[in-house]
């Protein structure tokens, strides 16, 4: 892709991009306590590491990190400009998937509903469908939702738009209490850019998804099972973790660039070994250097890896 062309522009009037790379490189994990027991001063350690990594990576960060208290209520640990409205890029695919599942919950669609994968809808960037070279398959809603969340497939966003138009997605999100989490409609009602969110609203979406209150419980479990898959994105938060540890983290990455510079985002939720949600994170960093590096060596992605290891090491006790 030409260096002067943003990933958002390259995708046309359909979807913004997330770069999903499979690199597993990174610093070795430091010695750590049993992650089933909260260590003394956990919030203080998390705040210190966050500030250190933010300073090293540069750019402007907008962040919300929250951990459950003894009563199981999420309490903020880091609130760093957490109400800033920002381009969510492919983190927004979580909100789009939630809107599709809401329509399924209302009986207007099913996971088994099939659509043809048309050649004129194919987008490059991240994902798998553009690699097929031939198209015309009939694929289920479950198929393209899985591709969108697991591989951050851009064509899958357009498939979502065929079953839930942009205006309906925004109406669903508004009805669920989100003020700033919106897709950006374009002339074609079935196409959209991925739009905006805030770290606090993404925390809310994640927490309600993890507690089975955002959608029907079965729909929440379906989306979480994809986001928690160990076949997903590993360059950031989950980089220096075992397979078992990775399976307890539902995460979504988003990356692009704009006039401010590069953006590297990641949001997700961590579960304890008892299966209960313990901590949410929503890290949105913009104005970064190294614009065309979508791999694990980008400074902000390296920061995510260090922060992620720290978060897991200091999960609240289960």
């Amino acid at each position: 892709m030409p260096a002067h062309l943003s990933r958002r522009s390259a995708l046309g009037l359909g979807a913004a991009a997330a770069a999903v790379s499979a690199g597993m490189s990174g610093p070795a994990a430091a010695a750590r306590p049993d992650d089933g027991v909260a260590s003394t001063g956990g919030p203080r350690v998390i705040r210190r590491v966050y500030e250190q990594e933010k300073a090293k990576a540069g750019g402007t960060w907008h962040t919300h990190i929250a951990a459950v208290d003894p009563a199981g209520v999420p309490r903020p640990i880091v609130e760093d400009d957490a109400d800033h409205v920002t381009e969510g890029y492919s983190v927004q695919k979580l909100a789009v998937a939630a809107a599709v599942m809401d329509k399924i919950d209302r009986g207007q669609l099913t996971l088994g509903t099939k659509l043809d994968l048309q050649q004129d809808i194919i987008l490059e960037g991240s994902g798998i469908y553009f690699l097929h070279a031939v198209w015309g398959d009939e694929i289920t809603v479950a198929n393209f939702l899985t591709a969108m969340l697991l591989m951050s497939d851009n064509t899958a966003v357009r498939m979502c738009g065929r079953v839930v138009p942009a205006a309906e997605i925004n109406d669903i999100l508004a009805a669920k209490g989100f003020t700033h989490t919106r897709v950006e409609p374009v002339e074609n009602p079935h196409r959209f850019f991925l739009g905006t969110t805030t770290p606090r609203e993404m925390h809310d979406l994640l927490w309600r998804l993890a507690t089975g209150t955002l959608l029907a419980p079965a729909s929440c479990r379906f989306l979480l099972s994809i986001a928690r898959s160990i076949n997903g994105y590993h360059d950031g938060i989950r980089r220096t973790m075992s397979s078992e540890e990775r399976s307890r983290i539902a995460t979504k990455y988003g990356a692009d660039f704009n006039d401010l510079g590069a953006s590297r985002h990641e949001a997700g939720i961590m579960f304890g070994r008892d299966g209960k949600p313990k901590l949410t994170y929503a890290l949105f960093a913009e104005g970064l250097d190294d614009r065309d590096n979508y791999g694990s060596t980008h400074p902000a992605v390296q920061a995510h890896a260090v922060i992620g290891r720290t978060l897991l090491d200091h999960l609240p006790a289960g």
Side-chain angles (χ1 to χ4, degrees), residues 48-132:
R48 185 183 73 242
V49 170
Y50 168 75
E51 292 294 343
Q52 289 174 345
E53 294 305 313
K54 169 187 168 182
K56 286 167 58 178
T60 303
W61 289 56
H62 318 287
T63 297
H64 190 285
I65 300 173
V68 298
D69 65 13
V73 177
R75 304 293 184 186
I77 294 175
V78 175
E79 292 181 284
D80 184 1
D81 203 13
D83 295 308
H84 179 80
V85 180
T86 188
E87 293 283 345
Y89 299 122
S90 282
V91 172
Q92 295 287 94
K93 291 172 182 175
L94 287 167
V96 172
V100 174
M101 296 305 299
D102 181 86
K103 196 162 185 175
I104 289 173
D105 289 346
R106 289 182 282 116
Q108 298 179 8
L109 193 67
T110 73
L111 284 174
T113 299
K114 291 184 178 180
L115 283 74
D116 58 328
L117 186 61
Q118 305 162 348
Q119 183 170 354
D120 63 1
I121 208 172
I122 299 298
L123 286 169
E124 295 188 359
S126 56
I128 56 173
Y129 295 136
F130 76 94
L131 297 170
H132 288 190

Side-chain angles (χ1 to χ4, degrees), residues 43-305:
R44 176 181 53 79
V45 174
I46 289 169
R47 284 191 290 268
R48 185 183 73 242
V49 170
Y50 168 75
E51 292 294 343
Q52 289 174 345
E53 294 305 313
K54 169 187 168 182
K56 286 167 58 178
T60 303
W61 289 56
H62 318 287
T63 297
H64 190 285
I65 300 173
V68 298
D69 65 13
V73 177
R75 304 293 184 186
I77 294 175
V78 175
E79 292 181 284
D80 184 1
D81 203 13
D83 295 308
H84 179 80
V85 180
T86 188
E87 293 283 345
Y89 299 122
S90 282
V91 172
Q92 295 287 94
K93 291 172 182 175
L94 287 167
V96 172
V100 174
M101 296 305 299
D102 181 86
K103 196 162 185 175
I104 289 173
D105 289 346
R106 289 182 282 116
Q108 298 179 8
L109 193 67
T110 73
L111 284 174
T113 299
K114 291 184 178 180
L115 283 74
D116 58 328
L117 186 61
Q118 305 162 348
Q119 183 170 354
D120 63 1
I121 208 172
I122 299 298
L123 286 169
E124 295 188 359
S126 56
I128 56 173
Y129 295 136
F130 76 94
L131 297 170
H132 288 190
V134 295
W135 297 280
D137 294 355
E138 285 196 339
I139 61 175
T140 63
V141 172
N143 185 308
F144 61 72
L145 285 178
T146 301
M148 184 172 70
L149 294 184
L150 190 66
M151 302 294 182
S152 206
D153 194 288
N154 293 317
T155 300
V157 178
R158 286 187 169 180
M159 297 293 280
C160 290
R162 290 172 64 186
V163 295
V164 190
E168 186 177 359
I169 291 174
N170 285 339
D171 287 345
I172 290 169
L173 294 172
K176 292 186 179 299
F178 299 106
T179 301
H180 302 291
T181 304
R182 297 286 189 272
V183 298
E184 180 185 338
V186 295
E187 184 176 359
N188 183 335
H190 297 283
R191 301 279 179 88
F192 50 86
F193 291 118
L194 284 169
T196 59
T197 190
T198 72
R200 195 181 307 278
E201 288 198 1
M202 191 52 60
H203 152 79
D204 185 42
L205 185 152
L206 289 161
W207 181 253
R208 291 163 63 187
L209 190 64
T211 55
T213 57
L214 182 69
L215 303 158
S219 295
C220 291
R221 289 193 296 271
F222 174 72
L223 295 184
L224 285 171
S225 71
I226 300 168
R228 288 179 64 170
S229 171
I230 61 172
N231 296 308
Y233 176 73
H234 296 147
D235 279 355
I237 291 290
R238 301 198 290 187
R239 187 189 305 181
T240 56
M241 296 180 188
S242 69
S243 297
E244 186 276 333
E245 289 171 331
R246 288 174 175 174
S247 72
R248 293 193 282 116
I249 301 174
T251 200
K252 186 70 192 75
Y253 175 61
D256 208 326
F257 65 85
N258 53 35
D259 291 342
L260 298 174
S263 294
R264 299 292 181 267
H265 308 328
E266 192 167 357
I269 188 158
M270 296 183 173
F271 295 80
R273 289 199 174 96
D274 59 2
K276 295 179 181 179
K278 302 293 185 182
L279 181 146
T280 64
Y281 55 89
L283 311 171
F284 292 84
E286 59 187 4
L288 299 161
D289 293 331
D290 211 5
R291 190 189 71 175
D292 297 318
N293 178 4
Y294 291 94
S296 65
T297 60
H298 190 282
V301 179
Q302 291 180 321
H304 292 168

